Amino acid sequence: MCGIIGYSGVENSVPKLIEGLKALEYRGYDSAGIAVFTENGISVVKSKGRIANIEKILDTEYPNLESVCGIGHTRWATHGEPSDRNSHPHGTDRIRLVHNGIIENYIQLKKELSACGYSFESDTDTEIASKLIDLNYKTSGDPIKAIKSTVKKLEGSYALGIIFDKYPGKIFAARKDSPLIVALSENGNFIASDIPAVLKHTNRYYQLEQGEIAIVEKDKVTVYDEFGSVANKEVLTADWDVGSAEKGGYEHFMLKEINEEPLAIVNTIRPRIKDGLPCLDLPHLSDEAIKAFKRVSIVACGTAMHAGFIGRTAIETLARIPVKVEIASEFRYRNPILDKEDLVIIISQSGETADSLAALRLSKERGAHTLAIVNVAGSSIAREADSTLYTWAGPEIAVASTKAYTVQISLMYLIATKFALCNGRITKDKAKEYLHTLLTLSPVAVENALVLSAECAKISEKIKNAEHLFYIGRGIDYDIAQEASLKLKEISYIHSEAYAAGEMKHGTISLITDGVPVIAVCTQDHLVEKMISNIKEVKARGAFVLIICKENMQIDKEVADEVLKIPVLSDLFMPIPAMTVLQLVAYHTSVIRGCDVDKPRNLAKSVTVE
Ligand code: M6R
């Protein structure tokens, strides 16, 4: 989704804004722009396409542009196509504004502004907000009053960065339901959508709360709470270093992040094991509280929801508590039945996904206990949940989620073990055995899976020209298949579907014709024979079959066209090395097809609109 950066300081803001926008590229965007104070008022440079277009315009048309204060934006189109005129910043000669979020009542506001004589250049909801601020600023002459009376009328979500012509050196910021931080450094202060945008300069920041308004100056930051009083803000420190948000010699962030999986598992799990047993260290989730839950719902979107499928299998297998996995955008409008005997687990890498956040709020309203599994510290979901477990994967920059998924499922195994112990379903010795697999054996299995990268690239060669492709599996292998399929389609643009292997013959097998690739995930001893039958069914209809199975499985040569054998863990934990391999298959396919691996078309890293 859109990215915001702003700087007020003693150095030239232009390169800082460009560098900040580049660091936010991972969020997904289709146009970009900046607005800076100059001697002649506010200068705006904006363009459809990549940030390189802005750099080109700056080089050719504004070679000497220098300014100590400005705002910048990467836009992910929602209202109106990607174009120069729809790019941010929007506004008038008096004010310029950048926005992340959606103004839902913009049509009504547009009518009111038209009646006041305003005309519009773009199709965006953002321009309406900017003109409303302009109107209120014209009336009051006071930026804070103008912002306050504007946000009172806005419905929807917003993070705003605003500059006013008569207030050079000051950036005004406000937010509701879209993320925004204020970062503090020796040589000036920043606003940003996310920490990577400022990491080169500082790791100290304030999280802007709902309804707060900040004034950011070169040597001072003032934050007002929703009632207009000066807020006493806690300075937070991000423990991510600059290197963690850079490629570090890898060709793509995605490949770097897959390679970081072993360390991410250790960092996330080791601190939560004491004397070989799980220790969640959550004050509101005592053993008694855990025992009292009758049901668990796991609610999330995309890859995070697929991590929920593994969580469901792990919790139901070990703790024997019924678990439902729900798509957040459906859950929130489905009038879910929840009460205090329910635990709702919200999984989100970014912690800002609009639908997941709404699902969390709804679950709290209905009396359920909410547990968030989040990667970004201080994000909205992390702060609003009753209990939060952070995944310590470090920043994930590639749009395709990889290491975040691996640590999400690792935490699901830890939670399942903890719940099973609390419910008396397993002994302490059994719990220790599971956690030994999780903490010690699984990072090694992932290391060994990474060694198979060249083998994965060979599979990619075989599927690179496919128009359609199927992943099939049974049980937890079907859970894996769903994530593998999403990974492939989002970065290689090959249409793929994940199917429960036994379900193909109930309709979908009609799509199998000569040469259609079918990737069969086959890691479960008790299901292997059934899988082989299903594989034979598609093979008999011409499918090009690739089997992903455990190293120690014997697969008859005639059953498959290709077999990739992967490192072995006990069956319940096989998703960990299996997904590393399947992420690599998706990665290499994307590279071979010449796709933009880290920034696939139409996608955004942090989906802050519903
Ligand atoms: O930040 P979140 O984990 O809440 O994001 C959820 C999905 O948008 C995300 O997992 C998406 O599906 C990824 N692009 C998958 O790689």
Side-chain angles (χ1 to χ4, degrees):
M1 294 280 119
C2 305
I4 289 177
I5 178 80
Y7 169 75
S8 174
V10 294
E11 294 170 356
N12 186 7
S13 66
V14 178
K16 286 194 164 45
L17 297 176
I18 296 293
E19 164 193 287
L21 291 181
K22 285 184 177 168
L24 292 171
E25 277 188 311
Y26 73 93
R27 297 169 70 85
Y29 74 106
D30 38 52
S31 47
I34 63 169
V36 296
F37 285 103
T38 65
E39 281 173 0
N40 307 318
I42 299 172
S43 286
V44 177
V45 179
K46 56 187 190 171
S47 168
K48 176 186 166 181
R50 294 295 177 203
I51 293 161
N53 296 352
I54 302 288
E55 290 182 291
K56 213 172 184 181
I57 301 172
L58 286 170
D59 281 351
T60 50
E61 295 174 34
Y62 302 84
N64 303 317
L65 185 65
E66 287 211 5
S67 165
V68 289
C69 180
I71 51 178
H73 189 263
T74 46
R75 173 174 187 254
W76 187 83
T78 55
H79 296 61
E81 56 171 11
S83 65
D84 292 355
R85 68 188 179 88
N86 284 335
S87 309
H88 301 207
H90 286 287
T92 65
D93 288 345
R94 279 179 292 270
I95 84 118
R96 289 288 165 182
L97 169 149
V98 289
H99 165 225
N100 174 17
I102 285 187
I103 308 301
E104 286 166 1
N105 57 336
Y106 79 103
I107 293 176
Q108 176 57 31
L109 295 173
K110 191 172 184 178
K111 279 188 199 145
E112 291 172 25
L113 285 163
S114 300
C116 296
Y118 278 92
S119 58
F120 305 94
E121 294 147 23
S122 77
D123 309 316
T124 65
D125 52 336
T126 300
E127 188 185 2
I128 309 301
S130 73
K131 301 258 159 105
L132 189 55
I133 291 185
D134 184 76
L135 175 67
N136 289 324
Y137 178 51
K138 258 195 324 193
T139 320
S140 67
D142 177 341
I144 293 282
K145 280 189 186 154
I147 294 170
K148 274 191 170 169
S149 36
T150 301
V151 295
K152 250 188 222 157
K153 296 192 80 171
L154 299 183
E155 286 168 20
S157 58
Y158 54 81
L160 302 173
I162 315 153
I163 53 178
F164 292 83
D165 62 339
K166 298 279 185 302
Y167 294 80
K170 289 189 184 185
I171 300 171
F172 296 79
R175 79 167 274 257
K176 179 181 158 263
D177 291 341
S178 288
L180 199 63
I181 61 164
V182 174
L184 315 167
S185 89
E186 298 280 292
N187 294 326
N189 299 312
F190 296 83
I191 59 167
S193 294
D194 203 354
I195 295 156
V198 297
L199 261 186
K200 269 199 178 146
H201 308 285
T202 182
N203 62 352
R204 294 184 310 122
Y205 68 101
Y206 296 141
Q207 193 77 51
L208 215 55
E209 301 293 340
Q210 298 280 63
E212 286 184 338
I213 298 178
I215 308 177
V216 176
E217 298 171 71
K218 66 176 182 201
D219 47 8
K220 191 164 99 181
V221 171
T222 316
V223 181
Y224 297 101
D225 65 19
E226 56 183 322
F227 307 106
S229 308
V230 174
N232 197 4
K233 301 290 290 179
E234 183 194 352
V235 180
L236 305 170
T237 308
D239 54 9
W240 296 351
D241 59 27
V242 189
S244 63
E246 288 174 351
K247 280 191 206 148
Y250 286 92
E251 202 181 333
H252 299 102
F253 278 111
M254 183 179 176
L255 185 59
K256 175 183 178 235
E257 289 160 6
I258 296 172
N259 276 274
E260 287 169 345
E261 287 173 2
L263 183 64
I265 297 174
V266 173
N267 286 346
T268 300
I269 299 301
R270 187 158 53 200
R272 294 178 170 124
I273 298 182
K274 300 266 151 34
D275 301 323
L277 292 170
C279 172
L280 300 183
D281 208 9
L282 296 172
H284 302 299
L285 265 189
S286 63
D287 291 4
E288 288 313 307
I290 291 171
K291 261 192 234 168
F293 293 130
K294 293 273 184 298
R295 295 161 298 269
V296 176
S297 294
I298 303 179
V299 187
C301 304
T303 289
M305 185 197 55
H306 293 157
F309 290 147
I310 307 290
R312 173 179 63 191
T313 304
I315 296 171
E316 289 193 339
T317 305
L318 301 186
R320 307 302 294 156
I321 307 174
V323 182
K324 281 193 291 186
V325 181
E326 304 232 23
I327 298 171
S329 55
E330 291 295 315
F331 177 86
R332 62 183 293 192
Y333 294 114
R334 209 175 52 71
N335 197 6
I337 303 164
L338 298 168
D339 62 32
K340 62 180 184 350
E341 294 185 328
D342 285 272
L343 171 67
V344 177
I345 303 179
I346 307 282
I347 307 179
S348 175
Q349 186 284 131
S350 64
E352 299 293 351
T353 301
D355 286 316
S356 305
L357 180 58
L360 167 86
R361 290 178 179 160
L362 178 66
S363 306
K364 282 179 80 171
E365 261 168 47
R366 303 222 162 159
H369 185 90
T370 52
L371 166 63
I373 295 185
V374 171
N375 196 44
V376 178
S379 53
S380 303
I381 292 175
R383 284 178 298 136
E384 291 190 28
D386 299 311
S387 303
T388 296
L389 285 174
Y390 282 112
T391 47
W392 286 308
E396 191 179 65
I397 306 294
V399 166
S401 190
T402 54
K403 63 175 177 174
Y405 171 87
T406 301
V407 290
Q408 284 161 357
I409 65 173
S410 302
L411 268 185
M412 296 316 297
Y413 288 118
L414 187 81
I415 290 169
T417 310
K418 174 73 186 169
F419 282 26
L421 256 184
C422 289
N423 288 354
R425 292 275 174 185
I426 56 171
T427 61
K428 283 188 178 174
D429 282 348
K430 198 68 193 164
K432 284 182 182 172
E433 186 189 314
Y434 289 138
L435 297 189
H436 174 70
T437 302
L438 184 59
L439 178 61
T440 310
L441 305 184
S442 69
V444 177
V446 174
E447 293 282 3
N448 293 332
L450 291 168
V451 174
L452 299 173
S453 189
E455 303 291 312
C456 296
K458 282 187 199 154
I459 293 192
S460 299
E461 275 296 337
K462 307 259 156 115
I463 62 173
K464 68 179 182 197
N465 295 321
E467 257 181 69
H468 307 281
L469 184 148
F470 291 89
Y471 287 86
I472 58 171
R474 281 174 173 261
I476 208 164
D477 284 339
Y478 176 45
D479 299 340
I480 298 172
Q482 296 188 68
E483 173 55 9
S485 172
L486 175 67
K487 212 80 312 168
L488 184 81
K489 67 186 143 197
E490 73 178 321
I491 58 169
S492 77
Y493 317 144
I494 295 176
H495 169 241
S496 98
E497 271 192 63
Y499 244 78
E503 184 64 12
M504 286 290 281
K505 57 179 151 307
H506 297 285
T508 306
I509 203 163
S510 64
L511 296 176
I512 301 292
T513 51
D514 264 358
V516 170
V518 174
I519 299 184
V521 187
C522 205
T523 70
Q524 303 293 298
D525 286 334
H526 71 294
L527 293 169
V528 72
E529 281 185 19
K530 301 281 169 210
M531 274 301 291
I532 297 293
S533 305
N534 299 139
I535 290 166
K536 283 183 175 164
E537 287 160 8
V538 291
K539 184 95 181 87
R541 284 153 183 89
F544 179 78
V545 174
L546 299 129
I547 296 185
I548 309 284
C549 69
K550 293 195 294 190
E551 248 162 29
N552 55 4
M553 278 177 170
Q554 294 306 320
I555 303 282
D556 191 348
K557 274 206 176 121
E558 279 136 44
V559 177
D561 295 284
E562 298 283 338
V563 178
L564 178 59
K565 296 203 165 187
I566 64 171
V568 179
L569 290 175
S570 53
D571 280 10
L572 186 63
F573 292 83
M574 277 310 294
I576 299 179
M579 262 325 296
T580 303
V581 163
L582 289 161
Q583 289 163 353
L584 286 169
V585 170
Y587 169 77
H588 288 296
T589 312
S590 176
V591 173
I592 293 169
R593 286 169 63 94
C595 303
D596 192 343
V597 176
D598 287 335
K599 299 187 288 285
R601 70 179 176 217
N602 302 341
L603 294 182
K605 182 69 181 166
S606 180
V607 184
T608 50
V609 296
E610 61 172 294

